[in-house]
Amino acid sequence: MTEVRTRPTVAIVGAGAAGTLTAVQLCETATRRRTPLDLVLVDPAPEAGRGTAYATPDPRHRLNVPAGGMSCYPDDPGHFTRWLCRHGEPTVRGTDFATRYRFGAYLADTLAQAVVRSHGTVSVRRLRTRAERCTGTPDGPVELHLADGGLLTADGAVLATGPAAPTAAWAPPALRTSPRFVDSPWKPGVLDAVREDSADVLLVGTGLTAVDLALTLDRPERTVHAVSRSGLLPQPHALGPAGAMEAPDWPDDPTLSGLRRTVYRHISRSVRTHGDWRPALDSLRPHTARLWHSLTPEERDEFLGGEGALWNTHRHRMAPATAESLTRARTARRLRLHTGTITDVARSGERLTVTLSNGRAVHAGWVIDCTGPGQRLEDPLWRSLFESGTAVPGPLGMGAATRDGRLLDAQGRCVRPLFTLGAPRRGELWETTAIPEIRVQAAALARHLLAPPPRRTRRRPVDGLGLPLSTHAEAATAYRNGLDRVLKVRAGAEAAFARAVALDPGFALGHAALALLGHECGAAVDVPRALADAQRSARERADERERSLVDVITRRVRSTDGDRALIRHLGTHPADALALATAVPTIAFSGVTDLDDDFALRLVERTSPAYDGHWFPTSLLAFLRQEQGRLHEAGELAHRALAVEPASGHAVHALAHVHYESGAHEAGRDWLDRWVSGQGRGAVHRAHFSWHIALHELALDDPAAVRRRWFAQLAPGRVTGMRALVDSGSLLWRARLSGNWQGEQPTSDVLDSVTREVLERPATAFTALHAAVALTAAGDLPALRRLRDHAAGADPVQREVIAPLCDAFVALVEHRFHEAAHGLDALLPVLRRVGGSAAQREVVEETLLYALVSAGRCDAARRLLDARLDRTAAPRDRRMLAGLPG
């Protein structure tokens, strides 16, 4: 009998930030696990994602966390920053503070994208109403009674209701009944009358809500007063990174007094080390919930009464721009702070006289409640849960009692499939209202609500070399197609891998392969996103080899011991062709770059037996043999591979180098031209092969042929992205250096073919080398210096090779030729570390030759040309040698 899998229904009550993050995680987890799901969002708001916090359109209302900390995904911290870049803010950085309204748009768009991607697996409905009551038996479904009279039955419900509503219980009766009292300042339209009136305003509370309203209501003819028990405004974030600290060593048996001493000592150490208390406080964030849980109820209450306000003002900070605006308002006396509470209110016409506990009287036209969320959950749904015993208030009466987000009943049991996250867990976790905490809780809830499908024992499909794949047959076919195209260096690999993950969103290797192509080949892939998808999928459904390869690619993208991880992987899995292609620096990938020169060669020799005579390792070996200068052997290996697979781009690439390095420029030009016009028409790096033909034409000193080749096959537009930078850009520069291109060059077209991010903050040293060449050709000194600054803080190869290379290029552009020649000459012995081929790195040697001639060092230039002619005869070099002054 065939088992029928039913579609579970999950209801999310609330579509603000917490509800939206939960819906995103449920959509993506269900899609990844191929678990059918009916998802229902219950919220009367017109748009998901905004809630109260992110509905304000005032551009002065900014997030109190930098953009780099506001991603929807805990494992993809740059997601929000990249979204901003794609939506009208291309220069935004992770340290910038976006507006609250923009973040609401981001939440809504991220949910919309997740819903689109989950089509066919997840059905999503929005009910524009409220849930007011919850019933049902303990062992049955959840029944939500809606305000419009409807009944929603679900297998589980997530109560993402946000913070408790303020109650204004602190306000004297005369104030609560006054039409000049605003108890809910975020309700649409409630502040319209306040804005139109020029009377002074009293804000009750000095937290982040008061900060936003002080900015909104600030005007030259008005004084905004703000009062609270502490009289403290939130502290500002630092203007720039202040450093990072490890958390302190906690007491074995933590008490409030012991924790207090530990934290204050830790802060003192931070001030001594960094000149700032913020790194110390930030280091506590991962430990706050555990430390809060370790305290007794009495200690928690003591903390709230003693240090609660101080903690909040330092922990929940405001953006630097916001702090600057408040400082200006306080300096101009348009904003005044008071310490105390309200003891009495008297009304005189359209004005209120408010007496504070410090004896001061404040005259204001309006009083606005900015005290923030209440302690207790008082809306009808929560009241029904508390009254029935299905839920109980949390510690100190804050929020609801939970265990890992699941509601506890009056007996302390998790009986009903009811969950919550964010602010309702405040009593349990204390710090639980910010996006970085809520997104982690949302991901955990999704994993809990959607158990992974049972593992099947049926035979798994395999890749093109017989290695098992954790996916279904159709996705495996697409992956094999992509891998085959990578090994042959043919176009279409990105599309094939994208199809594989579209067919199976939980296929870890498909996501990892896309991340690799985006990182190393400039494919149009959101690399961090693909990497995060690969990691999530690998944790849920992958074997040891697949998990290892995902880890290798992750380390490679993040420049964290990627080479050595790759070598370890190939030691265990020598037949992993994608890993081997990544490790060998040829035409497709930059390869291992920070190990000794012959390591890639030994690696291919060691892994070749696992391929049983396959043409792929033979092609790689051919390329590496020519790098050794064993040109005859390289040619034989290349022809052997091409006899089996005529489309092998690696073998063709090896043969192109054999022709170039042996000085067979006419034969190499003609043979490669025929291949490009035939088998090479589907090559992904067809422009690179055209570049090789152009190198022959440069060596033959044929400027007319070079220009024809450029406009026909290498001009940006015909070539895009990284190939335009690496091949087209370097060809232009080399043509200028050798005198094969007279007049103005179209270098701006090359620069326009890639983003400023690629030019000035490249991910790899190989890309950085060619970015430096293109910027030098354009004479763009500011960008060249920015590239140098980036390289100085990047991986070791960029620090030790690219940064000094940029210095030498700057000297060249500034006509400090002696200095440029000295810097370039010193780099030649270590240039191999950037990866790529000798023919590609030769651009630095040719630049050195130009610098020597320009500096008048003709003897040194002559020695360099003699060495080049000893390696390979080239009419261009003979002409340049003959032209040197005697």
Side-chain angles (χ1 to χ4, degrees):
M1 182 175 180
T2 302
E3 179 186 358
V4 178
R5 296 182 65 187
T6 60
R7 294 177 67 92
T9 298
V10 174
I12 300 176
V13 180
T20 298
L21 291 171
T22 304
V24 167
Q25 292 291 342
L26 282 169
C27 285
E28 297 197 352
T29 302
T31 303
R32 196 167 55 247
R33 294 180 174 180
R34 288 179 276 169
T35 301
L37 174 68
D38 290 330
L39 183 61
V40 186
L41 277 76
V42 182
D43 193 302
E47 184 180 3
R50 296 205 177 275
T52 299
Y54 309 115
T56 167
D58 193 328
R60 292 167 293 188
H61 293 173
R62 296 193 169 270
L63 299 171
N64 64 310
V65 174
M70 293 294 286
S71 166
C72 285
Y73 303 100
D75 52 1
D76 185 6
H79 190 260
F80 177 44
T81 307
R82 299 196 306 278
W83 184 90
L84 288 170
C85 289
R86 293 193 302 269
H87 290 80
E89 300 182 47
T91 61
V92 73
R93 299 198 176 201
T95 53
D96 294 338
F97 291 81
T99 65
R100 294 182 180 277
Y101 196 79
R102 289 287 277 166
F103 185 70
Y106 162 70
L107 287 174
D109 186 59
T110 302
L111 175 58
Q113 294 299 320
V115 171
V116 169
R117 287 192 298 270
S118 67
H119 179 70
T121 302
V122 182
S123 70
V124 181
R125 285 189 293 152
R126 277 285 310 277
L127 299 181
R128 294 279 302 279
T129 184
R130 298 184 187 277
E132 294 190 331
R133 193 158 54 92
C134 179
T135 59
T137 59
D139 56 351
V142 173
E143 296 175 345
L144 294 173
H145 299 259
L146 307 179
D148 62 4
L151 177 67
L152 173 61
T153 302
D155 297 285
V158 179
L159 309 185
T161 54
T167 61
W170 53 267
L175 180 60
R176 285 202 299 272
T177 58
S178 170
R180 291 272 165 170
F181 177 57
V182 178
D183 61 351
S184 299
W186 297 120
K187 285 183 179 178
V190 75
L191 293 178
D192 291 347
V194 184
R195 290 192 186 93
E196 293 171 2
D197 193 350
S198 61
D200 291 352
V201 174
L202 174 61
L203 308 178
V204 183
T206 56
L208 292 169
T209 298
V211 166
D212 283 345
L213 291 184
L215 294 176
T216 294
L217 300 176
D218 182 33
R219 52 198 298 179
E221 65 273 22
R222 164 185 285 161
T223 298
V224 176
H225 299 269
V227 62
S228 69
R229 286 186 173 86
S230 67
L232 298 174
L233 286 171
Q235 291 289 315
H237 281 277
L239 290 174
M245 291 185 71
E246 296 290 333
D249 294 327
W250 304 110
D252 293 334
D253 186 19
T255 62
L256 180 60
S257 59
L259 290 177
R260 186 184 287 123
R261 287 191 300 271
T262 300
V263 169
Y264 278 114
R265 282 198 299 266
H266 187 52
I267 290 173
S268 297
R269 188 161 53 250
S270 177
V271 172
R272 290 194 304 271
T273 304
H274 301 285
D276 193 348
W277 50 266
R278 293 173 183 84
L281 207 63
D282 292 342
S283 73
L284 306 182
R285 188 166 192 163
H287 308 275
T288 304
R290 178 176 58 82
L291 296 175
W292 175 258
H293 186 73
S294 71
L295 300 177
T296 65
E298 294 74 20
E299 287 175 320
R300 295 180 190 178
D301 194 39
E302 180 185 345
F303 170 78
L304 292 180
E307 284 92 3
L310 193 63
W311 171 270
N312 284 330
T313 57
H314 286 75
R315 172 68 186 80
H316 302 285
R317 301 168 213 149
M318 53 182 166
T322 301
E324 184 180 350
S325 297
L326 289 188
T327 299
R328 287 198 299 268
R330 293 187 69 185
T331 302
R333 306 287 289 171
R334 298 195 309 273
L335 173 62
R336 299 186 182 185
L337 299 181
H338 307 278
T339 302
T341 59
I342 294 178
T343 59
D344 191 30
V345 176
R347 181 174 178 179
S348 175
E350 296 299 310
R351 298 292 180 266
L352 300 172
T353 299
V354 180
T355 303
L356 305 181
S357 57
N358 60 10
R360 183 181 180 90
V362 176
H363 304 283
W366 302 87
V367 176
I368 303 176
D369 185 359
C370 300
T371 56
Q375 290 282 85
R376 299 181 182 276
L377 298 164
E378 299 285 356
D379 68 79
L381 176 60
W382 281 108
R383 279 203 307 272
S384 78
L385 292 170
F386 292 148
E387 289 168 0
S388 66
T390 304
V392 294
L396 304 182
M398 294 190 295
T402 67
R403 182 182 302 137
D404 297 327
R406 190 165 183 177
L407 296 188
L408 297 175
D409 67 5
Q411 285 73 46
R413 302 169 302 175
C414 296
V415 177
R416 305 297 308 284
L418 292 169
F419 303 82
T420 191
L421 76 166
R425 298 185 66 184
R426 189 162 175 251
E428 175 196 0
L429 302 175
W430 175 237
E431 285 291 342
T432 180
T433 58
I435 294 298
E437 282 76 32
I438 296 174
R439 67 192 182 193
V440 172
Q441 296 172 28
L445 281 182
R447 291 193 297 269
H448 182 85
L449 285 162
L450 298 171
R455 292 192 178 275
R456 300 176 181 178
T457 58
R458 68 184 183 189
R459 185 176 179 182
R460 290 187 294 164
V462 296
D463 68 10
L465 290 112
L467 298 180
L469 299 172
S470 296
T471 187
H472 55 70
E474 194 175 359
T477 299
Y479 181 83
R480 280 195 299 272
N481 182 21
L483 180 59
D484 182 65
R485 290 174 180 275
V486 166
L487 302 188
K488 292 177 181 175
V489 199
R490 296 189 73 77
E494 177 190 344
F497 291 138
R499 174 168 171 74
V501 298
L503 291 166
D504 180 5
F507 182 22
L509 285 195
H511 291 297
L514 282 171
L516 183 66
L517 291 184
H519 174 67
E520 298 234 0
C521 305
V525 175
D526 186 340
V527 174
R529 171 73 179 168
L531 208 56
D533 285 335
Q535 293 166 324
R536 296 169 199 153
S537 302
R539 285 193 295 268
E540 295 180 355
R541 173 166 46 94
D543 62 20
E544 188 278 330
R545 175 189 73 91
E546 293 167 316
R547 288 193 299 271
S548 175
L549 186 55
V550 168
D551 179 64
V552 164
I553 293 172
T554 301
R555 290 174 180 273
R556 193 166 183 84
V557 170
R558 295 177 178 170
S559 301
T560 53
D561 196 30
D563 284 352
R564 286 169 175 78
L566 181 56
I567 301 314
R568 289 193 297 270
H569 175 83
L570 283 167
T572 307
H573 308 285
D576 195 330
L578 183 59
L580 184 60
T582 306
V584 179
T586 60
I587 189 173
F589 302 110
S590 58
V592 290
T593 58
D594 206 20
L595 300 172
D596 66 81
D597 290 348
D598 292 329
F599 194 89
L601 176 63
R602 297 198 302 273
L603 185 62
V604 172
E605 291 174 334
R606 191 167 64 242
T607 56
S608 288
Y611 292 84
D612 193 25
H614 194 277
W615 57 265
F616 173 61
T618 305
S619 301
L620 297 182
L621 190 58
F623 184 84
L624 295 173
R625 288 294 186 221
Q626 65 80 25
E627 284 278 286
Q628 287 184 301
R630 296 162 64 172
L631 301 180
H632 180 72
E633 185 178 349
E636 287 187 344
L637 288 167
H639 283 297
R640 187 189 309 167
L642 288 168
V644 179
E645 178 49 73
S648 172
H650 288 298
V652 172
H653 193 211
L655 205 53
H657 279 274
V658 168
H659 286 140
Y660 184 75
E661 300 297 340
S662 64
H665 296 300
E666 292 181 348
R669 175 197 61 195
D670 296 342
W671 182 88
L672 193 52
D673 211 2
R674 287 193 300 273
W675 185 86
V676 166
S677 301
Q679 287 284 351
R681 282 178 296 187
V684 65
H685 297 298
R686 191 166 182 261
H688 187 67
F689 296 115
S690 296
W691 174 82
H692 269 283
I693 302 171
L695 284 192
H696 287 304
E697 291 165 341
L698 274 178
L700 291 168
D701 224 13
D702 189 346
V706 171
R707 292 179 78 100
R708 284 196 303 271
R709 185 75 55 185
W710 162 270
F711 287 111
Q713 297 176 354
L714 288 164
R718 296 184 179 278
V719 184
T720 59
M722 290 298 297
R723 286 266 67 102
L725 177 66
V726 171
D727 295 328
S728 306
S730 68
L731 178 68
L732 277 182
W733 181 237
R734 293 169 80 158
R736 182 197 295 184
L737 293 175
S738 63
N740 274 281
W741 192 298
Q742 300 297 323
E744 186 178 354
Q745 290 189 311
T747 51
S748 60
D749 294 343
V750 173
L751 297 181
D752 290 343
S753 65
V754 292
T755 65
R756 279 284 151 181
E757 182 80 13
V758 169
L759 285 171
E760 298 177 15
R761 292 184 292 277
T764 67
F766 179 75
T767 302
L769 166 64
H770 288 87
V773 167
L775 292 171
T776 301
D780 192 341
L781 284 174
L784 197 53
R785 289 191 172 103
R786 288 192 292 270
L787 173 59
R788 191 258 177 230
D789 292 342
H790 162 79
D795 59 84
V797 181
Q798 291 206 51
R799 286 198 306 270
E800 296 162 18
V801 181
I802 300 302
L805 180 69
C806 289
D807 287 334
F809 281 168
V810 167
L812 187 81
V813 174
E814 293 180 338
H815 291 186
R816 293 181 282 116
F817 297 117
H818 283 283
E819 188 177 337
H822 177 75
L824 294 170
D825 189 47
L827 287 170
L828 290 184
V830 296
L831 201 59
R832 188 181 185 117
R833 294 176 63 193
V834 305
S837 68
Q840 288 170 313
R841 299 188 298 268
E842 195 178 47
V843 66
V844 176
E845 184 182 73
E846 293 177 2
T847 307
L848 169 61
L849 179 61
Y850 176 82
L852 290 171
V853 173
S854 300
R857 296 176 55 187
C858 295
D859 289 342
R862 186 175 290 105
R863 287 193 297 272
L864 181 55
L865 282 167
D866 284 337
R868 287 167 60 88
L869 286 166
D870 285 342
R871 291 201 308 264
T872 174
R876 171 203 55 204
D877 288 351
R878 285 198 297 269
R879 186 256 301 167
M880 294 177 72
L881 181 62
L884 289 175

